[in-house]
Amino acid sequence: QGLGLAALNLSGCRSLAPHGVEGKIFGPGTDQFTRNLVEADLSSTLELTDLSIANMLRSATKLASLSLRYVATDLMINALAESNAAASFLYLVDVAFSSKLTDASVQLIATKATHLQRMNLRGCRSISAACYNEVPIALQKRLLNKELGRNILIDDILKRSRASSMRAKGDNVFFFSSETRSRKK
């Protein structure tokens, strides 16, 4: 029972043999290597399976920063949302240019990862414009409310955002607050 890895950077390792690294770091019974993982970059690891990455994300209980550029899938993000790290440590998720990601998993991680401050969705073709615009706004509002000492659920922020008046032109979506302040005369 060693301390395991604190950081793992396999970014750009496009030809990792699934039978090689998967069995040593991502396979069954290998969570001792990833349980203390704080930072992971698995961007462009095209040969690793969704399931092996999902299993690793479930076992990385202290993960704070994660990059899955080009490879993120709903299976991976849902596994991350179920992990202890999502509730306790996770503040950054980069899933840019991942084409197999849907609104549902993005909204799930935004809801479950209570410390999440930033989620890069750039180039995710399957993400709707509404989700692309709503999630960062919701994360920013949650962070602001935490700083102000308020405890507000991101579900409430997302619902308010959708319910508020909006005007869409092409891919640009503008949100208007339903809260107004009256002026004293």
Side-chain angles (χ1 to χ4, degrees), residues 74-180:
D74 286 343
L75 180 67
M76 293 175 202
I77 298 304
N78 290 340
L80 182 61
E82 295 168 9
S83 73
N84 291 335
S88 303
F89 301 104
L90 192 65
Y91 72 89
L92 172 67
V93 175
D94 184 351
V95 292
F97 307 106
S98 296
S99 60
K100 297 179 182 178
L101 208 53
T102 64
D103 288 7
S105 63
V106 168
Q107 290 171 341
L108 178 66
I109 192 66
T111 302
K112 297 270 187 162
T114 56
H115 297 282
L116 190 62
Q117 296 176 18
R118 186 167 184 270
M119 186 166 195
N120 186 358
L121 300 170
R122 182 176 177 213
C124 294
R125 295 182 304 224
S126 300
I127 301 297
S128 70
C131 181
Y132 184 88
N133 289 308
E134 287 171 4
V135 169
I137 291 169
L139 294 176
Q140 187 175 32
K141 284 183 179 180
R142 179 172 63 191
L143 182 62
L144 178 63
N145 281 312
K146 277 185 179 181
E147 289 173 0
L148 295 174
R150 296 184 215 150
N151 189 10
I152 189 163
L153 297 174
I154 200 159
D155 285 336
D156 295 336
I157 296 170
L158 288 170
K159 285 176 190 171
R160 285 186 207 150
S161 180
R162 283 187 211 108
S164 63
S165 302
M166 72 177 183
R167 192 175 7 164
K169 182 179 181 182
D171 287 332
N172 297 323
V173 179
F174 302 95
F175 292 95
F176 300 93
S177 175
S178 58
E179 299 173 14
T180 57

Side-chain angles (χ1 to χ4, degrees), residues 2-60:
L3 295 176
L5 299 170
L8 177 65
N9 187 344
L10 298 175
S11 178
C13 295
R14 294 183 177 142
S15 300
L16 282 176
H19 58 278
V21 74
E22 280 190 58
K24 292 178 178 73
I25 298 176
F26 303 108
T30 59
D31 65 330
Q32 73 269 13
F33 296 114
T34 56
R35 109 171 34 111
N36 292 323
L37 198 60
V38 175
E39 207 175 298
D41 188 345
L42 304 174
S43 300
S44 299
T45 51
L46 304 175
E47 295 296 322
L48 296 178
T49 65
D50 295 2
L51 184 58
S52 64
I53 293 175
N55 288 336
M56 188 274 298
L57 293 174
R58 277 188 199 96
S59 69

